[in-house]
Amino acid sequence: MFQLRDLRRRAALCAAVLGVVALAGCGGDPEPVDSRVVVLGFDGMDPVLARRWMDEGKLPNFSRLAEEGHFQELGTSNPPQSPVAWSSFATGKGPGEHGIFDFLRRNPETYTPNFSISENIPPDRFIKLFGLQVPLGSGEVLNRRQGEAFWVKAERDEGARASVLRIPVTYPPDDIHRMLSGMGVPDLLGTQGTYTYYTTTRLGDAGSSTRTVRVRPDRQGRIESEFEGPPDPLLESGEPMTVPLVLEPAEGGALVQLGDDEVSLEPGEWSDWIRVAFDVTGPVSVTGTVRLLLVQGYPSPRLYVSPIQIDPENPAVEIASPSGYAAELVEDIGLFHTIGMPEETWSLNEEHISDAAWLEMEKTILAEREAMWFETLDKNDSELVVGAFVQTDRVTHMFYRGLDEQHPRHADTAPEHRDEVEWIYREADRILGETMDRLGPDDRLIVISDHGFAPFRKAVHLNRWLVDNGYLVLEEGATESDVIFSNVDWSRSRAYALGLNGLFLNLAGREGQGIVAADEVEALKAEISAGLAEWTDPESGEPVVRRVFDGEAAYRGPERGDAPDMVVGYHRGYRASWQTTLGAIPKPLMEPNRQKWSGDHCIDPALVPGVLFSNFTPEVEIGGIRDVWQLTRRQIREDES
Ligand SMILES: [Zn+2]
């Protein structure tokens, strides 16, 4: 087996003789690696679905891996959400230690939800000059995840080189041999994905991840508008920088001018990448990349503009390590999506784009990810290679309705789109096969998913349940509440739900307007828990909640202060409503999920385990996703000895 120590010795020799530290300095390409630990993730791959299609002979590479190596269910994190589970994967620790408990974390002072994964800290000093605000020193981005990732440890302790591609919760990037950040990378607006939708007709409120621009064509059909970028960092008013956008009727569709580019599109057609340059007051400009989709042609055109990606060739923030790596990748594979969650699931959920257009975008993203994954494997210059494909998760979220005959959206899902979940599993199988073809005889392969899947048939308004049972109190005269508890009377409220699984007490001394005394906590938690256990769906008589976890008991470690007081584990088929996650309280207690986001996994973790495959038999028992850390560490250390 390959000896890492040899490599280090050679590197040291190299450094001594030539005065360079990099191995590459020893003459051309780095020494190829004889044996590697390769960890390949397929987000959301479900063991039951995998087993079904393996048995039907549809996933031959997974079947071969299971036969020649190992296949088991892999316990997920609590709650079973991707950022939580991938953080446990990276650090080998639970949420009490790594600090990621949900997609959203709350500010207890204001009851406001924030993105839990990363945090932008603005520069704190400005010179105010002639109405401009000039930052002194750039702002900072923090990865909120605590604990050390196994790739960092492997580089430091074993001298291995690690290549880590698009693993969730790796933004900003770790300073390692090679990293491209995944979930957590913002768009150029600093959000997790804001798209822009130009329309000539009025649309309903589509939520905060959409910018809807109402436009009016002149008599010739010409539409003159603007495309807004980030706020000018030098202007105190925070006015956005813009580039002109013009739309005109053209043979078969429309001609679109965006900034300096011009593209003609047919209805349903995606453009290639377009680079947009926003001029900051003064000599600098910041660039981003977008793709356009002509959703609908004339006479009532609709144009979709993707979230503005951080330009990998001229990144406004660091998205890769070393910092030139993203640009290098562009040279090798062309421009690619850089945002942490590039799949525009919300635009499909809002039905701003069609199933077919969404799937085409998904195929583009999949092809980009494949290209970078295979390029990294082919380079063969890292003892540890780690990458994740999240497309399995996204397609299953959006097309579970095709698989699930009981789903409210099954009937109107076109027959040609009913088997998309099977399609993405076959794609995963193909990627696995091509990965296995690239492995050397001593390479160890570990394939995992972070959680499985379940149908999402009913949206549960947990905050309404809390209102109905007297734990959350609306202001005098109010019958419902908008997001962030706009109509809640905190002086009489004892509990509230926020995020996908979290339930919090309105604790005195912790929450901004807390009223629950420390000595009332245990009894209140027990009472709410018992109430939720008895909650049944009036339509079917089925229980809604399978288990409620006490945050105090579920989490250990220094970060537990951020944890929910209770974690709600829904039954199969149920999930917190979107309104609940953001602290809104509509009138009904629950309702059929009539949206295309039709599969989910944010329920009782016991119902949604992930998968573990390997081309060797693990020497230790692997119970859950955090144990993969040990498994990987063991393989790396074995290489070293
Ligand atoms: Zn998911």
Side-chain angles (χ1 to χ4, degrees):
M1 215 166 259
F2 167 73
Q3 307 296 312
L4 273 176
R5 281 203 199 97
D6 283 0
L7 238 190
R8 279 207 298 269
R9 218 174 298 131
R10 280 202 294 266
L13 190 70
C14 222
V17 174
L18 300 169
V20 291
V21 183
L23 194 62
C26 236
D29 290 334
E31 203 69 19
V33 169
D34 295 341
S35 85
R36 302 177 285 188
V37 178
V38 177
V39 188
L40 171 58
F42 288 108
D43 198 302
M45 178 169 264
D46 181 75
V48 177
L49 294 176
R51 172 59 75 193
R52 180 199 300 177
W53 290 322
M54 282 161 70
D55 289 347
E56 292 173 11
K58 290 166 174 167
L59 308 176
N61 293 304
F62 281 104
S63 293
R64 179 157 63 97
L65 189 53
E67 252 158 56
E68 292 169 6
H70 177 77
F71 172 38
Q72 65 164 80
E73 285 188 1
L74 183 65
T76 179
S77 58
N78 187 16
Q81 302 182 24
S82 292
V84 186
W86 284 109
S87 295
S88 290
F89 162 78
T91 62
K93 296 182 186 310
E97 290 169 283
H98 63 58
I100 307 290
F101 296 91
D102 197 294
F103 266 102
L104 300 168
R105 67 193 285 269
R106 87 212 189 287
N107 177 345
E109 189 55 40
T110 57
Y111 308 89
T112 317
N114 294 308
F115 191 50
S116 67
I117 297 175
S118 57
E119 185 171 26
N120 288 301
I121 299 176
D124 53 358
R125 288 177 305 151
F126 291 94
I127 296 181
K128 290 191 177 169
L129 204 62
F130 312 124
L132 300 178
Q133 90 176 338
V134 183
L136 282 179
S138 54
E140 216 191 323
V141 191
L142 281 185
N143 185 342
R144 294 201 50 84
R145 190 199 72 212
Q146 306 297 310
E148 190 174 52
F150 64 83
W151 45 83
V152 173
K153 199 167 169 55
E155 288 213 338
R156 195 194 55 222
D157 293 357
E158 281 82 37
R161 287 163 299 179
S163 286
V164 180
L165 294 185
R166 297 288 301 183
I167 295 292
V169 205
T170 54
Y171 173 74
D174 294 322
D175 181 16
I176 58 172
H177 178 61
R178 190 180 295 127
M179 175 177 268
L180 185 67
S181 295
M183 176 194 283
V185 176
D187 60 18
L188 201 58
L189 302 179
T191 74
Q192 290 301 309
T194 301
Y195 63 93
T196 315
Y197 202 65
Y198 293 87
T199 169
T200 53
T201 47
R202 185 179 289 282
L203 296 172
D205 182 18
S208 60
S209 58
T210 316
R211 299 189 297 181
T212 306
V213 183
R214 185 88 183 275
V215 288
R216 244 173 244 295
D218 68 14
R219 232 173 273 152
Q220 282 73 44
R222 183 180 162 91
I223 293 165
E224 284 186 28
S225 186
E226 286 184 321
F227 180 63
E228 284 187 2
D232 190 325
L234 299 179
L235 286 181
E236 216 177 322
S237 62
E239 239 170 83
M241 300 179 279
T242 61
V243 292
L245 181 134
V246 179
L247 206 67
E248 281 174 303
E251 184 75 37
L255 190 69
V256 188
Q257 288 172 48
L258 179 61
D260 298 331
D261 278 273
E262 192 175 84
V263 57
S264 113
L265 293 171
E266 287 174 18
E269 187 184 357
W270 283 97
S271 76
D272 210 343
W273 287 107
I274 293 176
R275 181 171 273 119
V276 279
F278 299 100
D279 292 325
V280 180
T281 307
V284 255
S285 78
V286 50
T287 61
T289 57
V290 294
R291 290 179 77 209
L292 313 179
L293 168 72
L294 185 63
V295 175
Q296 190 173 298
Y298 276 89
S300 307
R302 283 186 181 176
L303 181 73
Y304 168 94
V305 186
S306 73
I308 314 168
Q309 314 283 317
I310 304 289
D311 183 349
E313 288 189 294
N314 180 26
V317 293
E318 293 289 1
I319 57 170
S321 167
S323 60
Y325 172 50
E328 246 172 65
L329 254 181
V330 176
E331 265 176 46
D332 294 340
I333 69 164
L335 280 170
F336 54 86
H337 292 79
T338 57
I339 190 171
M341 291 181 276
E343 281 82 10
E344 275 295 294
T345 48
W346 202 250
S347 59
L348 178 56
N349 211 32
E350 289 293 327
E351 309 203 19
H352 284 166
I353 70 175
S354 67
D355 285 357
W358 190 85
L359 284 162
E360 189 166 330
M361 171 198 60
E362 191 68 348
K363 284 172 190 167
T364 305
I365 298 171
L366 191 64
E368 293 166 4
R369 297 293 172 254
E370 263 181 67
M372 55 181 78
W373 174 246
F374 294 138
E375 194 234 27
T376 304
L377 286 176
D378 291 342
K379 268 199 176 122
N380 198 21
D381 67 351
S382 304
E383 287 80 12
L384 177 61
V385 183
V386 188
F389 287 84
V390 300
Q391 291 68 37
T392 26
D393 178 82
R394 306 305 189 265
V395 172
T396 314
H397 274 300
M398 303 317 293
F399 286 91
Y400 206 95
R401 57 197 155 98
L403 197 66
D404 177 19
E405 288 174 12
Q406 289 180 58
H407 196 275
R409 292 303 295 269
H410 177 76
D412 79 341
T413 299
E416 69 266 29
H417 292 313
R418 289 209 178 143
D419 296 322
E420 301 300 356
V421 179
E422 186 185 313
W423 164 74
I424 198 66
Y425 275 60
R426 286 174 185 262
E427 288 291 284
D429 188 73
R430 182 180 56 72
I431 291 165
L432 173 64
E434 289 181 37
T435 300
M436 286 158 81
D437 289 346
R438 285 170 162 84
L439 298 183
D442 291 329
D443 288 348
R444 260 66 38 74
L445 174 66
I446 299 168
V447 180
I448 65 142
S449 70
D450 54 337
H451 53 72
F453 253 93
F456 173 19
R457 297 176 189 140
K458 282 209 174 157
V460 175
H461 299 300
L462 183 55
N463 279 314
R464 173 55 65 183
W465 185 90
L466 291 171
V467 169
D468 287 356
N469 289 276
Y471 300 113
L472 186 59
V473 181
L474 292 169
E475 281 168 348
E476 206 63 43
T479 54
E480 51 192 323
S481 173
D482 206 346
V483 293
I484 322 180
F485 309 100
S486 58
N487 290 338
V488 163
D489 180 353
W490 290 113
S491 72
R492 295 189 291 153
S493 293
R494 289 178 291 160
Y496 61 102
L498 201 69
L500 284 152
N501 298 90
L503 210 156
F504 299 87
L505 302 185
N506 191 24
L507 194 63
R510 185 186 68 181
E511 261 70 9
Q513 300 172 65
I515 61 161
V516 176
D519 62 358
E520 298 168 335
V521 166
E522 286 315 308
L524 183 56
K525 284 201 284 198
E527 191 185 308
I528 293 174
S529 230
L532 286 171
E534 282 169 20
W535 186 11
T536 52
D537 181 342
E539 242 177 42
S540 63
E542 284 172 14
V544 176
V545 173
R546 189 164 181 265
R547 281 190 290 175
V548 180
F549 302 89
D550 182 347
E552 190 85 19
Y555 303 120
R556 297 263 166 258
E559 299 299 316
R560 66 195 287 186
D562 232 17
D565 296 307
M566 308 167 84
V567 181
V568 181
Y570 295 96
H571 248 293
R572 196 174 156 84
Y574 300 88
R575 205 208 71 181
S577 66
W578 295 110
Q579 293 93 324
T580 295
T581 65
L582 297 175
I585 313 165
K587 281 187 184 131
L589 201 46
M590 65 179 75
E591 54 190 309
N593 173 22
R594 295 196 181 85
Q595 287 182 303
K596 289 186 172 179
W597 184 298
S598 48
D600 211 284
H601 44 80
C602 302
I603 60 174
D604 184 330
L607 299 176
V608 282
V611 298
L612 168 69
F613 293 84
S614 53
N615 68 353
F616 59 93
T617 307
E619 303 91 333
V620 286
E621 200 177 315
I622 307 297
I625 190 160
R626 56 189 285 186
D627 303 332
V628 176
W629 192 89
Q630 271 306 339
L631 180 66
T632 312
R633 295 280 310 134
R634 202 177 255 269
Q635 298 304 316
I636 295 167
R637 283 200 302 264
E638 205 170 279
D639 270 357
E640 202 206 10
S641 57

